[in-house]
Amino acid sequence: MSRNSYLFTSESVSEGHPDKVSDRISDAIVDRFLAAEQESRVAVETLTTTNKVVLAGEVRGPASVTNEVMEEAARNAVREIGYEQDGFHWQNMDVEILVHGQSSDIAMGVDASGNKDEGAGDQGIMFGYATNETASLMPATLDFSHRILKSMAAARHSDEVSDLGPDSKSQVTLRYENGKPVTATSVVVSTQHGADVSQERVRELVMSHIENILPDGWMPAADELYINPTGQFIIGGPDGDAGLTGRKIIVDTYGGAAQHGGGAFSGKDPTKVDRSAAYATRYLAKNVVAAGLASRCTIQLAYAIGVSKPLSLYVDFHQTGNVDPAKVESVLADVMDLSPRGIREHLGLNKPIYERTAAYGHFGREPEADGGFSWEKLDLVDALKAEF
């Protein structure tokens, strides 16, 4: 039985959060390999802690991407985030690289040979989701959470604000009526700041971003605005808490409003269906909702390692559909080749476009001219409308 009135919450974390620093470094390594050779295979994890970065994983790519190149990519990523602190500094941090060649057993299953098409880089299930409650067709709770932190980061990078540090988190709770968001009931923002910055100043700075992002009339009561509720946040980033690649998968996707498969995205080249098929399911779900076939749509794909065809395709409209979801499943399989190779070619994924995805969500972004966020395009809408 569906509920008409309820509260729902999503969180986001900034590019300076220790897990997001790790995600960005891992994706920077992916981009270096793909820029040098489009068919590179990369699976690199990153650990960050006090003035220390550790890279581990397996790769197959050009010899030009040396340990020195990977170290440079890690330092550049940390510098661009803005870490020049005693406990974590892009110049002073120690970078340890424990990256080796890809397993021949994995390569045998993934590579195309003879009559065998390229197989999936791993087994697994992937989910995509879209909802018409925002212009980006994303859950409003996550959309607002991301946008508050992106706004704060933009101010920090422009030197408009020097009092705040790179590490921050947000959380937005909305009241839903008849399945639609109508107002915010609470907002939480914790942000790193300088040692000489008062909490009154932090609150003043953060409030302006919350007010600019939430729709008119949606601000919660003053006692439901929690800005740095612990009292201070001076020690942050990897100096305050160790970071690991792939620990913020709900932030990366739908903020808990939809299902998530088992795998993270960052650090993986697009032969890994954890990443590419999750992008494909978002792409299909977004086009289904934009075509007016449903108000909400979840799509699941499943794969076996080394096998090119998906094992299953499932569509759920959450009782908001205008057409038969079984027919949509058939149509989607016709409008897009859902093999790993088909997904990569359709969305143009063999490009160095991943470092930019590491913070503020992989979905709900604008497609970019160089192929970035291609899975956010709405180029299947006309074809879907024609079928129905």
Side-chain angles (χ1 to χ4, degrees):
M1 182 176 178
S2 61
R3 295 180 61 188
N4 290 326
S5 178
Y6 55 90
L7 302 181
F8 192 79
T9 305
S10 295
E11 72 158 347
S12 180
V13 297
S14 73
E15 65 203 58
H17 185 281
D19 294 330
K20 282 289 143 205
V21 175
S22 296
D23 284 345
R24 180 160 177 173
I25 292 172
S26 290
D27 277 336
I29 303 303
V30 172
D31 281 356
R32 294 302 189 280
F33 273 95
L34 293 179
E37 182 182 301
Q38 289 191 345
E39 300 301 320
S40 293
R41 303 287 191 262
V42 186
V44 171
E45 316 297 336
T46 302
L47 162 70
T48 57
T49 186
T50 302
N51 269 333
K52 179 79 173 181
V53 169
V54 180
L55 304 180
E58 56 178 34
V59 298
R60 190 179 73 196
S64 61
V65 186
T66 61
N67 282 4
E68 290 73 23
V69 170
M70 286 189 273
E71 178 177 342
E72 179 187 30
R75 292 191 187 279
N76 285 342
V78 173
R79 177 178 56 82
E80 290 176 8
I81 291 169
Y83 275 112
E84 295 185 343
Q85 301 171 2
D86 289 343
F88 197 67
H89 195 298
W90 65 274
Q91 280 183 314
N92 303 332
M93 67 188 192
D94 178 54
V95 181
E96 184 176 0
I97 298 176
L98 306 172
V99 175
H100 58 81
Q102 184 186 51
S103 160
S104 58
D105 290 348
I106 293 176
M108 178 175 63
V110 175
D111 292 347
S113 61
N115 294 325
K116 175 184 175 297
D117 195 6
E118 175 186 299
D122 201 352
Q123 72 175 48
I125 57 173
M126 297 83 208
F127 289 94
Y129 179 72
T131 171
N132 65 2
E133 64 190 58
T134 62
S136 62
L137 302 186
M138 290 288 287
T141 49
L142 183 64
D143 184 64
F144 294 144
S145 295
H146 282 327
R147 288 168 57 198
I148 289 168
L149 296 186
K150 285 182 74 174
S151 178
M152 291 167 56
R156 180 173 58 83
H157 284 300
S158 69
D159 295 327
E160 176 186 328
V161 173
S162 60
D163 294 335
L164 303 182
D167 191 0
S168 58
K169 302 176 74 171
S170 64
Q171 187 170 286
V172 174
T173 301
L174 300 182
R175 179 178 299 282
Y176 282 71
E177 299 287 353
N178 297 318
K180 296 294 183 183
V182 295
T183 192
T185 60
S186 67
V187 176
V188 183
V189 176
S190 295
T191 181
Q192 190 181 17
H193 57 85
D196 59 346
V197 180
S198 69
Q199 291 307 304
E200 290 74 18
R201 173 61 174 161
V202 171
R203 186 178 182 88
E204 175 189 350
L205 291 170
V206 171
M207 282 293 294
S208 65
H209 296 282
I210 297 173
E211 290 167 349
N212 287 339
I213 296 304
L214 292 183
D216 289 344
W218 280 40
M219 284 291 288
D223 60 355
E224 292 293 340
L225 289 164
Y226 302 95
I227 313 299
N228 278 12
T230 62
Q232 72 175 28
F233 186 179
I234 297 170
I235 301 171
D239 186 32
D241 188 12
L244 290 170
T245 301
R247 278 206 302 200
K248 286 292 178 285
I249 57 177
I250 300 303
V251 171
D252 287 342
T253 53
Y254 307 104
Q259 295 154 291
H260 191 292
F265 304 154
S266 290
K268 298 175 182 177
D269 74 78
T271 66
K272 278 69 170 176
V273 284
D274 278 343
R275 178 167 225 158
S276 57
Y279 290 173
T281 51
R282 161 62 180 175
Y283 171 65
L284 294 176
K286 184 177 183 181
N287 276 269
V288 164
V289 172
L293 306 186
S295 299
R296 296 170 58 205
C297 177
T298 296
I299 295 178
Q300 184 205 55
L301 286 171
Y303 292 86
I305 188 169
V307 179
S308 62
K309 68 178 181 67
L311 305 183
S312 64
L313 168 61
Y314 169 70
V315 174
D316 183 1
F317 290 154
H318 307 278
Q319 301 178 333
T320 69
N322 304 313
V323 296
D324 180 3
K327 182 178 180 183
V328 175
E329 292 168 357
S330 176
V331 169
L332 293 180
D334 289 337
V335 299
M336 185 178 182
D337 178 356
L338 294 172
S339 69
R341 182 197 298 276
I343 291 171
R344 289 191 298 109
E345 292 178 350
H346 189 108
L347 296 178
L349 298 180
N350 280 101
K351 298 174 182 177
I353 55 175
Y354 297 105
E355 186 175 354
R356 70 194 74 168
T357 68
Y360 313 117
H362 292 245
F363 308 129
R365 312 285 285 272
E366 288 295 321
E368 297 177 349
D370 66 351
F373 302 102
S374 60
W375 48 93
E376 293 295 315
K377 295 188 296 185
L378 293 174
D379 53 358
L380 295 181
V381 169
D382 290 342
L384 292 173
K385 285 181 175 180
E387 288 288 342
F388 293 92

